[in-house]
Amino acid sequence: DGGITQSPKYLFRKEGQNVTLSCEQNLNHDAMYWYRQDPGQGLRLIYYSQIVNDFQKGDIAEGYSVSREKKESFPLTVTSAQKNPTAFYLCASSIILGQPYNEQFFGPGTRLTVL
Amino acid sequence: AQSVAQPEDQVNVAEGNPLTVKCTYSVSGNPYLFWYVQYPNRGLQFLLKYITGDNLVKGSYGFEAEFNKSQTSFHLKKPSALVSDSALYFCAVRLSDSNYQLIWGAGTKLIIKP
């Protein structure tokens, strides 16, 4: 099956710890995205990457870091600098190649809770 | 500022009745418009999109949406609601000349009552 996988599904973190959320896609998509979802709010973009070894900050990048060493993978690290990290995190991917009307495909999400 | 508005936090519809979930946008340039659905504790699923051409777009699960340029709206509709349509619906817009980022609405919770 083609798609996007995120792991783990649930993640608990103690204050002061860094944690890494995994996102893998086998759709051969160029672009990958990380969003944060909080209750009653729309999706907020954390980081996005249009090509391997390149990524850009989104609207709420502070306290987060990413890497894009492979086309298939776009892990997100939530650092201790992120003051309120408890949220639902969604990874997405899309084809770019000059086609901005292509939809994004989403993974199942990771729910992060800070204890 | 560019934005997308979903003016209703929640929409309640009886099963079998038509449903409408509203979306309006404020952007410069020519937009591409999208609707997504999210079931509890799940990722988002793509429903439909407007690129150009016919203002009425048909999508998955019997949903359709009408693009109205003069009213800058892209309302989601379905002629006959099912209980299984109950979910959170998001409208999003991307500019045709953008760097491919999406501007998202806050979401509308759709509740279909038997």
Side-chain angles (χ1 to χ4, degrees), chain B:
Chain B
Q2 300 181 107
S3 63
V4 174
Q6 293 181 242
E8 300 155 318
D9 292 336
Q10 183 170 308
V11 172
N12 298 296
V13 178
E15 187 177 24
N17 284 0
L19 69 87
T20 298
V21 183
K22 296 180 180 178
C23 173
T24 60
Y25 62 92
S26 175
V27 300
S28 56
N30 295 316
Y32 299 124
L33 296 151
F34 302 82
W35 274 103
Y36 289 82
V37 61
Q38 184 181 33
Y39 297 99
N41 296 311
R42 303 285 296 275
L44 276 68
Q45 297 178 30
F46 168 75
L47 280 178
L48 51 79
K49 64 184 175 184
Y50 172 81
I51 302 174
T52 187
D54 193 346
N55 290 341
L56 185 63
V57 178
K58 294 188 182 296
S60 306
Y61 312 119
F63 284 94
E64 58 189 27
E66 186 170 11
F67 172 64
N68 188 318
K69 188 173 183 178
S70 63
Q71 297 185 8
T72 61
S73 67
F74 189 55
H75 300 331
L76 182 70
K77 300 180 180 182
K78 188 173 182 180
S80 179
L82 300 173
V83 173
S84 57
D85 292 330
S86 299
L88 189 58
Y89 290 80
F90 290 97
C91 179
V93 61
R94 176 181 290 140
L95 299 180
S96 58
D97 59 351
S98 79
N99 57 0
Y100 310 112
Q101 290 190 65
L102 285 169
I103 304 170
W104 292 88
T108 298
K109 186 175 184 180
L110 177 64
I111 298 176
I112 309 299
K113 298 183 178 180

Side-chain angles (χ1 to χ4, degrees), chain A residues 32-108:
Chain A
M32 296 187 74
Y33 311 80
W34 274 107
Y35 292 96
R36 171 178 170 142
Q37 184 178 21
D38 294 284
Q41 298 190 38
L43 277 64
R44 293 186 289 169
L45 183 65
I46 305 173
Y47 270 97
Y48 66 101
S49 168
Q50 298 182 40
I51 195 170
V52 174
N53 292 323
D54 187 45
F55 47 83
Q56 288 78 41
K57 293 182 179 180
D59 300 321
I60 56 165
E62 184 176 354
Y64 300 97
S65 66
V66 294
S67 63
R68 186 84 185 276
E69 297 178 0
K70 299 186 298 181
K71 188 176 184 178
E72 302 80 18
S73 179
F74 191 42
L76 173 74
T77 297
V78 184
T79 75
S80 57
Q82 170 50 236
K83 297 306 178 187
N84 185 23
T86 295
F88 191 51
Y89 290 86
L90 289 162
C91 179
S93 70
S94 69
I95 299 172
I96 300 186
L97 300 177
Q99 297 176 334
Y101 46 79
N102 284 313
E103 61 270 25
Q104 293 183 7
F105 291 78
F106 284 80

